[in-house]
Amino acid sequence: MHVLFDDRVSVEFHVFRLGGDVAAHAVGDGQGGQVNGLCGAAEPGALVFNTGLHTGYVPLRIERHESEPLLDPVWTEVVEASYTRTEPDVLLLTGDHRLTVRLELDQDTYRVRFCAIGYDNEDRVVDDPPERYLLQFWPAKAGPDWIVRQTSTVAANRHRVAQKTPPRPTYAERVEAARRQQEEKKRREREYFRARATRDWGGRLSDSDRLRQVGAWAKDVARVDRDLVDEIAAAEPAQQRAMAAWAARSAAIQAGAAELDWVAEALDALDRGDPPPPSFTDYRTALNRLWDVPEETAVHSFSSSFIYSPTSIGKIELPAMEPQVQMVFAIVAAREEDPLVAALSTLKSALEIGPVDLAAFRAVFTQK
């Protein structure tokens, strides 16, 4: 027989534990599905011991035997269970976490006997012996737990609770359940983002890498006419340039500015494929011309505001730009380096000003 520990041990909430990390993080008392309520052994690798004392220190002796030892009649509460080691180190874990002792238990499976005296702490009288505990280990095959001796009402009540408590899922079952839960969470996230992307693409996701590259412009047009996006993407670059020029003119007409000399000059240059006039070399110069502000004094800024309410989540819309500002963006965007971006972004600006005659657009470019 080897004495592995003989000292006082701290308990909290009637509990101290034995095992390794599994025991330290074990949930509950490990008694569900057991016969006894004093030694919770339902969790592989963990033992949870129930004491009469709620919080404080109790004497504890731990012994290792080569075979089953004789039971001393002095012990008034005795239960047995099986313990399967799941980690290299078997630790005694105290309630206050101030004492951690490695126990020399090297076999894979042991039978453990938990013995108590003075357990019925709440009903103690002067002549009762002080509360103390004994743990005895010996190598043995795994088997069911059982009550060897029971004399106190508190222990009897705890045995009844254990017998009425259904067994918790095993550690492997909990790991599997957590894995399935995580997979389900990821599946729901994928479905959510796919549904959101489908809405952004006007009800049908694009399988074109080219369109996905220009998604920021394509999605705005797709929400108005999903098929038109594919038709524009299928067009040749020269035709996409012509589409951009058509959309820019549509934007100018809707903004009521197509007849202005400086706007008409920019639109005609687009139609011919000529360089832009000085007033439309970029957004800044075009906006300066629109507001008749000298270049040397121009200061550009943008601000926006919206009203928040709980019902507006996901439906917040920024105020629309002035039609003539959108027209400027359309005409300048028509000269984007990428012809597909030019066509889509210009048409997007035109659509943001107001309805565009897409039937006329198709009649000119796609014959659909």
Side-chain angles (χ1 to χ4, degrees), residues 7-16 51-60 93-99 121 131 133:
D7 202 343
R8 294 199 311 158
V9 66
S10 167
V11 299
E12 288 185 354
F13 298 99
H14 302 281
V15 164
F16 68 91
T51 63
L53 183 67
H54 181 282
T55 301
Y57 290 85
V58 295
L60 171 67
L93 308 170
T94 62
D96 60 4
H97 304 290
R98 295 176 185 172
L99 177 66
N121 201 286
E131 183 176 354
Y133 296 92

PDB file of all heavy atoms in Angstrom, residues 7-16 51-60 93-99 121 131 133:
ATOM      1  N   ASP A   7      -3.401  14.851   4.141  1.00  0.00           N
ATOM      2  CA  ASP A   7      -3.380  16.239   4.591  1.00  0.00           C
ATOM      3  C   ASP A   7      -4.806  16.771   4.546  1.00  0.00           C
ATOM      4  O   ASP A   7      -5.744  16.049   4.165  1.00  0.00           O
ATOM      5  CB  ASP A   7      -2.454  17.079   3.701  1.00  0.00           C
ATOM      6  CG  ASP A   7      -1.958  18.343   4.391  1.00  0.00           C
ATOM      7  OD1 ASP A   7      -2.556  18.745   5.420  1.00  0.00           O
ATOM      8  OD2 ASP A   7      -0.982  18.929   3.895  1.00  0.00           O
ATOM      9  N   ARG A   8      -4.946  18.037   4.864  1.00  0.00           N
ATOM     10  CA  ARG A   8      -6.256  18.658   4.721  1.00  0.00           C
ATOM     11  C   ARG A   8      -6.423  19.155   3.287  1.00  0.00           C
ATOM     12  O   ARG A   8      -5.455  19.586   2.640  1.00  0.00           O
ATOM     13  CB  ARG A   8      -6.405  19.828   5.691  1.00  0.00           C
ATOM     14  CG  ARG A   8      -6.404  19.402   7.163  1.00  0.00           C
ATOM     15  CD  ARG A   8      -6.997  20.483   8.043  1.00  0.00           C
ATOM     16  NE  ARG A   8      -6.411  21.789   7.767  1.00  0.00           N
ATOM     17  CZ  ARG A   8      -7.020  22.946   8.074  1.00  0.00           C
ATOM     18  NH1 ARG A   8      -8.207  22.939   8.646  1.00  0.00           N
ATOM     19  NH2 ARG A   8      -6.425  24.098   7.811  1.00  0.00           N
ATOM     20  N   VAL A   9      -7.642  19.093   2.803  1.00  0.00           N
ATOM     21  CA  VAL A   9      -7.944  19.539   1.449  1.00  0.00           C
ATOM     22  C   VAL A   9      -9.080  20.552   1.504  1.00  0.00           C
ATOM     23  O   VAL A   9     -10.001  20.434   2.316  1.00  0.00           O
ATOM     24  CB  VAL A   9      -8.320  18.339   0.543  1.00  0.00           C
ATOM     25  CG1 VAL A   9      -9.618  17.695   0.995  1.00  0.00           C
ATOM     26  CG2 VAL A   9      -8.427  18.767  -0.908  1.00  0.00           C
ATOM     27  N   SER A  10      -8.985  21.562   0.647  1.00  0.00           N
ATOM     28  CA  SER A  10     -10.000  22.610   0.607  1.00  0.00           C
ATOM     29  C   SER A  10     -11.197  22.173  -0.223  1.00  0.00           C
ATOM     30  O   SER A  10     -11.044  21.550  -1.292  1.00  0.00           O
ATOM     31  CB  SER A  10      -9.402  23.886  -0.015  1.00  0.00           C
ATOM     32  OG  SER A  10     -10.412  24.811  -0.346  1.00  0.00           O
ATOM     33  N   VAL A  11     -12.402  22.476   0.271  1.00  0.00           N
ATOM     34  CA  VAL A  11     -13.627  22.192  -0.478  1.00  0.00           C
ATOM     35  C   VAL A  11     -14.435  23.478  -0.608  1.00  0.00           C
ATOM     36  O   VAL A  11     -14.404  24.345   0.269  1.00  0.00           O
ATOM     37  CB  VAL A  11     -14.488  21.089   0.194  1.00  0.00           C
ATOM     38  CG1 VAL A  11     -13.728  19.795   0.278  1.00  0.00           C
ATOM     39  CG2 VAL A  11     -14.955  21.528   1.575  1.00  0.00           C
ATOM     40  N   GLU A  12     -15.145  23.595  -1.707  1.00  0.00           N
ATOM     41  CA  GLU A  12     -16.081  24.696  -1.931  1.00  0.00           C
ATOM     42  C   GLU A  12     -17.352  24.124  -2.512  1.00  0.00           C
ATOM     43  O   GLU A  12     -17.301  23.292  -3.424  1.00  0.00           O
ATOM     44  CB  GLU A  12     -15.488  25.746  -2.876  1.00  0.00           C
ATOM     45  CG  GLU A  12     -14.382  26.571  -2.240  1.00  0.00           C
ATOM     46  CD  GLU A  12     -13.889  27.689  -3.160  1.00  0.00           C
ATOM     47  OE1 GLU A  12     -14.348  27.732  -4.326  1.00  0.00           O
ATOM     48  OE2 GLU A  12     -13.049  28.490  -2.718  1.00  0.00           O
ATOM     49  N   PHE A  13     -18.471  24.561  -1.978  1.00  0.00           N
ATOM     50  CA  PHE A  13     -19.766  24.052  -2.419  1.00  0.00           C
ATOM     51  C   PHE A  13     -19.811  22.521  -2.325  1.00  0.00           C
ATOM     52  O   PHE A  13     -20.291  21.846  -3.228  1.00  0.00           O
ATOM     53  CB  PHE A  13     -20.089  24.529  -3.839  1.00  0.00           C
ATOM     54  CG  PHE A  13     -20.190  26.017  -3.957  1.00  0.00           C
ATOM     55  CD1 PHE A  13     -19.116  26.755  -4.430  1.00  0.00           C
ATOM     56  CD2 PHE A  13     -21.343  26.683  -3.588  1.00  0.00           C
ATOM     57  CE1 PHE A  13     -19.194  28.134  -4.530  1.00  0.00           C
ATOM     58  CE2 PHE A  13     -21.432  28.057  -3.683  1.00  0.00           C
ATOM     59  CZ  PHE A  13     -20.360  28.796  -4.149  1.00  0.00           C
ATOM     60  N   HIS A  14     -19.241  21.992  -1.234  1.00  0.00           N
ATOM     61  CA  HIS A  14     -19.241  20.549  -0.949  1.00  0.00           C
ATOM     62  C   HIS A  14     -18.380  19.740  -1.915  1.00  0.00           C
ATOM     63  O   HIS A  14     -18.546  18.525  -1.997  1.00  0.00           O
ATOM     64  CB  HIS A  14     -20.669  19.967  -0.997  1.00  0.00           C
ATOM     65  CG  HIS A  14     -21.638  20.599  -0.054  1.00  0.00           C
ATOM     66  ND1 HIS A  14     -21.677  20.292   1.293  1.00  0.00           N
ATOM     67  CD2 HIS A  14     -22.609  21.517  -0.253  1.00  0.00           C
ATOM     68  CE1 HIS A  14     -22.636  20.993   1.874  1.00  0.00           C
ATOM     69  NE2 HIS A  14     -23.215  21.758   0.970  1.00  0.00           N
ATOM     70  N   VAL A  15     -17.454  20.346  -2.635  1.00  0.00           N
ATOM     71  CA  VAL A  15     -16.782  19.630  -3.729  1.00  0.00           C
ATOM     72  C   VAL A  15     -15.268  19.804  -3.687  1.00  0.00           C
ATOM     73  O   VAL A  15     -14.747  20.881  -3.415  1.00  0.00           O
ATOM     74  CB  VAL A  15     -17.340  20.112  -5.091  1.00  0.00           C
ATOM     75  CG1 VAL A  15     -16.418  19.708  -6.249  1.00  0.00           C
ATOM     76  CG2 VAL A  15     -18.731  19.555  -5.323  1.00  0.00           C
ATOM     77  N   PHE A  16     -14.553  18.697  -3.982  1.00  0.00           N
ATOM     78  CA  PHE A  16     -13.177  18.746  -4.471  1.00  0.00           C
ATOM     79  C   PHE A  16     -13.081  17.724  -5.604  1.00  0.00           C
ATOM     80  O   PHE A  16     -13.930  16.837  -5.734  1.00  0.00           O
ATOM     81  CB  PHE A  16     -12.141  18.484  -3.363  1.00  0.00           C
ATOM     82  CG  PHE A  16     -12.132  17.087  -2.812  1.00  0.00           C
ATOM     83  CD1 PHE A  16     -11.308  16.100  -3.361  1.00  0.00           C
ATOM     84  CD2 PHE A  16     -12.935  16.751  -1.727  1.00  0.00           C
ATOM     85  CE1 PHE A  16     -11.293  14.807  -2.838  1.00  0.00           C
ATOM     86  CE2 PHE A  16     -12.916  15.463  -1.201  1.00  0.00           C
ATOM     87  CZ  PHE A  16     -12.106  14.489  -1.758  1.00  0.00           C
ATOM     88  N   THR A  51     -18.694  16.381  -0.276  1.00  0.00           N
ATOM     89  CA  THR A  51     -18.422  16.347   1.159  1.00  0.00           C
ATOM     90  C   THR A  51     -19.608  16.884   1.944  1.00  0.00           C
ATOM     91  O   THR A  51     -20.475  17.581   1.404  1.00  0.00           O
ATOM     92  CB  THR A  51     -17.174  17.187   1.493  1.00  0.00           C
ATOM     93  OG1 THR A  51     -17.439  18.555   1.158  1.00  0.00           O
ATOM     94  CG2 THR A  51     -15.966  16.680   0.720  1.00  0.00           C
ATOM     95  N   GLY A  52     -19.609  16.617   3.224  1.00  0.00           N
ATOM     96  CA  GLY A  52     -20.643  17.176   4.078  1.00  0.00           C
ATOM     97  C   GLY A  52     -20.429  18.658   4.290  1.00  0.00           C
ATOM     98  O   GLY A  52     -21.372  19.453   4.286  1.00  0.00           O
ATOM     99  N   LEU A  53     -19.177  19.082   4.451  1.00  0.00           N
ATOM    100  CA  LEU A  53     -18.843  20.481   4.656  1.00  0.00           C
ATOM    101  C   LEU A  53     -19.060  21.273   3.374  1.00  0.00           C
ATOM    102  O   LEU A  53     -18.656  20.842   2.291  1.00  0.00           O
ATOM    103  CB  LEU A  53     -17.386  20.600   5.102  1.00  0.00           C
ATOM    104  CG  LEU A  53     -16.877  22.008   5.431  1.00  0.00           C
ATOM    105  CD1 LEU A  53     -17.566  22.542   6.682  1.00  0.00           C
ATOM    106  CD2 LEU A  53     -15.362  21.989   5.613  1.00  0.00           C
ATOM    107  N   HIS A  54     -19.671  22.442   3.502  1.00  0.00           N
ATOM    108  CA  HIS A  54     -19.905  23.279   2.320  1.00  0.00           C
ATOM    109  C   HIS A  54     -18.612  23.955   1.868  1.00  0.00           C
ATOM    110  O   HIS A  54     -18.205  23.840   0.712  1.00  0.00           O
ATOM    111  CB  HIS A  54     -20.967  24.336   2.634  1.00  0.00           C
ATOM    112  CG  HIS A  54     -21.289  25.238   1.478  1.00  0.00           C
ATOM    113  ND1 HIS A  54     -20.478  26.290   1.103  1.00  0.00           N
ATOM    114  CD2 HIS A  54     -22.327  25.238   0.608  1.00  0.00           C
ATOM    115  CE1 HIS A  54     -20.999  26.899   0.055  1.00  0.00           C
ATOM    116  NE2 HIS A  54     -22.138  26.277  -0.266  1.00  0.00           N
ATOM    117  N   THR A  55     -17.956  24.662   2.764  1.00  0.00           N
ATOM    118  CA  THR A  55     -16.745  25.396   2.410  1.00  0.00           C
ATOM    119  C   THR A  55     -15.767  25.331   3.581  1.00  0.00           C
ATOM    120  O   THR A  55     -16.152  25.566   4.734  1.00  0.00           O
ATOM    121  CB  THR A  55     -17.062  26.867   2.084  1.00  0.00           C
ATOM    122  OG1 THR A  55     -17.992  26.919   1.007  1.00  0.00           O
ATOM    123  CG2 THR A  55     -15.788  27.617   1.678  1.00  0.00           C
ATOM    124  N   GLY A  56     -14.530  25.017   3.289  1.00  0.00           N
ATOM    125  CA  GLY A  56     -13.516  24.934   4.339  1.00  0.00           C
ATOM    126  C   GLY A  56     -12.518  23.846   4.036  1.00  0.00           C
ATOM    127  O   GLY A  56     -12.236  23.550   2.866  1.00  0.00           O
ATOM    128  N   TYR A  57     -11.978  23.219   5.099  1.00  0.00           N
ATOM    129  CA  TYR A  57     -10.950  22.201   4.938  1.00  0.00           C
ATOM    130  C   TYR A  57     -11.365  20.915   5.661  1.00  0.00           C
ATOM    131  O   TYR A  57     -11.910  20.965   6.767  1.00  0.00           O
ATOM    132  CB  TYR A  57      -9.615  22.687   5.502  1.00  0.00           C
ATOM    133  CG  TYR A  57      -8.981  23.774   4.676  1.00  0.00           C
ATOM    134  CD1 TYR A  57      -9.342  25.097   4.877  1.00  0.00           C
ATOM    135  CD2 TYR A  57      -8.038  23.478   3.710  1.00  0.00           C
ATOM    136  CE1 TYR A  57      -8.771  26.115   4.115  1.00  0.00           C
ATOM    137  CE2 TYR A  57      -7.448  24.476   2.943  1.00  0.00           C
ATOM    138  CZ  TYR A  57      -7.829  25.792   3.142  1.00  0.00           C
ATOM    139  OH  TYR A  57      -7.267  26.782   2.395  1.00  0.00           O
ATOM    140  N   VAL A  58     -11.116  19.787   5.011  1.00  0.00           N
ATOM    141  CA  VAL A  58     -11.395  18.488   5.624  1.00  0.00           C
ATOM    142  C   VAL A  58     -10.164  17.594   5.472  1.00  0.00           C
ATOM    143  O   VAL A  58      -9.424  17.704   4.486  1.00  0.00           O
ATOM    144  CB  VAL A  58     -12.623  17.803   4.967  1.00  0.00           C
ATOM    145  CG1 VAL A  58     -13.891  18.601   5.226  1.00  0.00           C
ATOM    146  CG2 VAL A  58     -12.395  17.590   3.478  1.00  0.00           C
ATOM    147  N   PRO A  59      -9.905  16.700   6.433  1.00  0.00           N
ATOM    148  CA  PRO A  59      -8.781  15.756   6.300  1.00  0.00           C
ATOM    149  C   PRO A  59      -9.067  14.735   5.188  1.00  0.00           C
ATOM    150  O   PRO A  59     -10.186  14.232   5.061  1.00  0.00           O
ATOM    151  CB  PRO A  59      -8.729  15.080   7.670  1.00  0.00           C
ATOM    152  CG  PRO A  59      -9.480  15.985   8.596  1.00  0.00           C
ATOM    153  CD  PRO A  59     -10.543  16.611   7.752  1.00  0.00           C
ATOM    154  N   LEU A  60      -8.051  14.449   4.401  1.00  0.00           N
ATOM    155  CA  LEU A  60      -8.197  13.483   3.305  1.00  0.00           C
ATOM    156  C   LEU A  60      -6.930  12.644   3.215  1.00  0.00           C
ATOM    157  O   LEU A  60      -5.815  13.175   3.221  1.00  0.00           O
ATOM    158  CB  LEU A  60      -8.429  14.219   1.970  1.00  0.00           C
ATOM    159  CG  LEU A  60      -8.376  13.357   0.711  1.00  0.00           C
ATOM    160  CD1 LEU A  60      -9.554  12.372   0.678  1.00  0.00           C
ATOM    161  CD2 LEU A  60      -8.390  14.228  -0.549  1.00  0.00           C
ATOM    162  N   LEU A  93      -7.324  18.291  -7.206  1.00  0.00           N
ATOM    163  CA  LEU A  93      -7.672  19.697  -7.404  1.00  0.00           C
ATOM    164  C   LEU A  93      -8.548  20.154  -6.255  1.00  0.00           C
ATOM    165  O   LEU A  93      -9.649  19.640  -6.060  1.00  0.00           O
ATOM    166  CB  LEU A  93      -8.407  19.886  -8.732  1.00  0.00           C
ATOM    167  CG  LEU A  93      -7.709  19.290  -9.957  1.00  0.00           C
ATOM    168  CD1 LEU A  93      -8.627  19.304 -11.157  1.00  0.00           C
ATOM    169  CD2 LEU A  93      -6.434  20.063 -10.250  1.00  0.00           C
ATOM    170  N   THR A  94      -8.060  21.114  -5.501  1.00  0.00           N
ATOM    171  CA  THR A  94      -8.801  21.560  -4.327  1.00  0.00           C
ATOM    172  C   THR A  94      -9.831  22.604  -4.713  1.00  0.00           C
ATOM    173  O   THR A  94      -9.785  23.198  -5.792  1.00  0.00           O
ATOM    174  CB  THR A  94      -7.847  22.155  -3.281  1.00  0.00           C
ATOM    175  OG1 THR A  94      -7.195  23.297  -3.849  1.00  0.00           O
ATOM    176  CG2 THR A  94      -6.809  21.133  -2.870  1.00  0.00           C
ATOM    177  N   GLY A  95     -10.754  22.835  -3.805  1.00  0.00           N
ATOM    178  CA  GLY A  95     -11.824  23.783  -4.101  1.00  0.00           C
ATOM    179  C   GLY A  95     -11.332  25.192  -4.319  1.00  0.00           C
ATOM    180  O   GLY A  95     -11.866  25.921  -5.156  1.00  0.00           O
ATOM    181  N   ASP A  96     -10.308  25.620  -3.571  1.00  0.00           N
ATOM    182  CA  ASP A  96      -9.819  26.996  -3.713  1.00  0.00           C
ATOM    183  C   ASP A  96      -8.719  27.126  -4.755  1.00  0.00           C
ATOM    184  O   ASP A  96      -8.176  28.206  -4.961  1.00  0.00           O
ATOM    185  CB  ASP A  96      -9.311  27.522  -2.364  1.00  0.00           C
ATOM    186  CG  ASP A  96      -8.170  26.682  -1.803  1.00  0.00           C
ATOM    187  OD1 ASP A  96      -7.720  25.749  -2.493  1.00  0.00           O
ATOM    188  OD2 ASP A  96      -7.749  26.952  -0.671  1.00  0.00           O
ATOM    189  N   HIS A  97      -8.348  26.034  -5.415  1.00  0.00           N
ATOM    190  CA  HIS A  97      -7.334  26.020  -6.481  1.00  0.00           C
ATOM    191  C   HIS A  97      -5.941  26.426  -5.979  1.00  0.00           C
ATOM    192  O   HIS A  97      -5.079  26.779  -6.763  1.00  0.00           O
ATOM    193  CB  HIS A  97      -7.743  26.932  -7.639  1.00  0.00           C
ATOM    194  CG  HIS A  97      -9.080  26.607  -8.208  1.00  0.00           C
ATOM    195  ND1 HIS A  97      -9.329  25.479  -8.934  1.00  0.00           N
ATOM    196  CD2 HIS A  97     -10.269  27.267  -8.130  1.00  0.00           C
ATOM    197  CE1 HIS A  97     -10.598  25.440  -9.293  1.00  0.00           C
ATOM    198  NE2 HIS A  97     -11.189  26.514  -8.813  1.00  0.00           N
ATOM    199  N   ARG A  98      -5.736  26.390  -4.674  1.00  0.00           N
ATOM    200  CA  ARG A  98      -4.419  26.755  -4.137  1.00  0.00           C
ATOM    201  C   ARG A  98      -3.479  25.555  -4.049  1.00  0.00           C
ATOM    202  O   ARG A  98      -2.285  25.710  -3.914  1.00  0.00           O
ATOM    203  CB  ARG A  98      -4.583  27.374  -2.747  1.00  0.00           C
ATOM    204  CG  ARG A  98      -5.325  28.702  -2.748  1.00  0.00           C
ATOM    205  CD  ARG A  98      -5.542  29.217  -1.338  1.00  0.00           C
ATOM    206  NE  ARG A  98      -6.347  30.424  -1.333  1.00  0.00           N
ATOM    207  CZ  ARG A  98      -6.821  31.006  -0.237  1.00  0.00           C
ATOM    208  NH1 ARG A  98      -6.549  30.459   0.956  1.00  0.00           N
ATOM    209  NH2 ARG A  98      -7.550  32.099  -0.317  1.00  0.00           N
ATOM    210  N   LEU A  99      -4.048  24.381  -4.069  1.00  0.00           N
ATOM    211  CA  LEU A  99      -3.234  23.170  -3.930  1.00  0.00           C
ATOM    212  C   LEU A  99      -3.529  22.220  -5.077  1.00  0.00           C
ATOM    213  O   LEU A  99      -4.674  21.839  -5.301  1.00  0.00           O
ATOM    214  CB  LEU A  99      -3.532  22.474  -2.594  1.00  0.00           C
ATOM    215  CG  LEU A  99      -2.804  21.144  -2.344  1.00  0.00           C
ATOM    216  CD1 LEU A  99      -1.303  21.382  -2.227  1.00  0.00           C
ATOM    217  CD2 LEU A  99      -3.344  20.486  -1.081  1.00  0.00           C
ATOM    218  N   ASN A 121     -22.845  16.426   8.405  1.00  0.00           N
ATOM    219  CA  ASN A 121     -22.338  17.611   9.072  1.00  0.00           C
ATOM    220  C   ASN A 121     -23.447  18.467   9.660  1.00  0.00           C
ATOM    221  O   ASN A 121     -23.314  19.023  10.746  1.00  0.00           O
ATOM    222  CB  ASN A 121     -21.507  18.424   8.070  1.00  0.00           C
ATOM    223  CG  ASN A 121     -20.540  19.357   8.753  1.00  0.00           C
ATOM    224  OD1 ASN A 121     -20.950  20.362   9.298  1.00  0.00           O
ATOM    225  ND2 ASN A 121     -19.254  18.998   8.726  1.00  0.00           N
ATOM    226  N   GLU A 131     -15.323  15.230  10.731  1.00  0.00           N
ATOM    227  CA  GLU A 131     -15.480  14.836   9.319  1.00  0.00           C
ATOM    228  C   GLU A 131     -14.105  14.573   8.702  1.00  0.00           C
ATOM    229  O   GLU A 131     -13.196  15.393   8.785  1.00  0.00           O
ATOM    230  CB  GLU A 131     -16.196  15.951   8.552  1.00  0.00           C
ATOM    231  CG  GLU A 131     -16.474  15.634   7.097  1.00  0.00           C
ATOM    232  CD  GLU A 131     -17.272  16.749   6.418  1.00  0.00           C
ATOM    233  OE1 GLU A 131     -17.690  17.701   7.110  1.00  0.00           O
ATOM    234  OE2 GLU A 131     -17.465  16.661   5.188  1.00  0.00           O
ATOM    235  N   TYR A 133     -12.025  11.934   5.349  1.00  0.00           N
ATOM    236  CA  TYR A 133     -12.269  11.131   4.156  1.00  0.00           C
ATOM    237  C   TYR A 133     -11.059  10.271   3.803  1.00  0.00           C
ATOM    238  O   TYR A 133      -9.911  10.610   4.111  1.00  0.00           O
ATOM    239  CB  TYR A 133     -12.618  12.050   2.973  1.00  0.00           C
ATOM    240  CG  TYR A 133     -13.902  12.791   3.197  1.00  0.00           C
ATOM    241  CD1 TYR A 133     -13.898  14.055   3.792  1.00  0.00           C
ATOM    242  CD2 TYR A 133     -15.130  12.221   2.845  1.00  0.00           C
ATOM    243  CE1 TYR A 133     -15.083  14.726   4.034  1.00  0.00           C
ATOM    244  CE2 TYR A 133     -16.321  12.893   3.078  1.00  0.00           C
ATOM    245  CZ  TYR A 133     -16.290  14.139   3.677  1.00  0.00           C
ATOM    246  OH  TYR A 133     -17.465  14.789   3.925  1.00  0.00           O
TER     247      TYR A 133
END
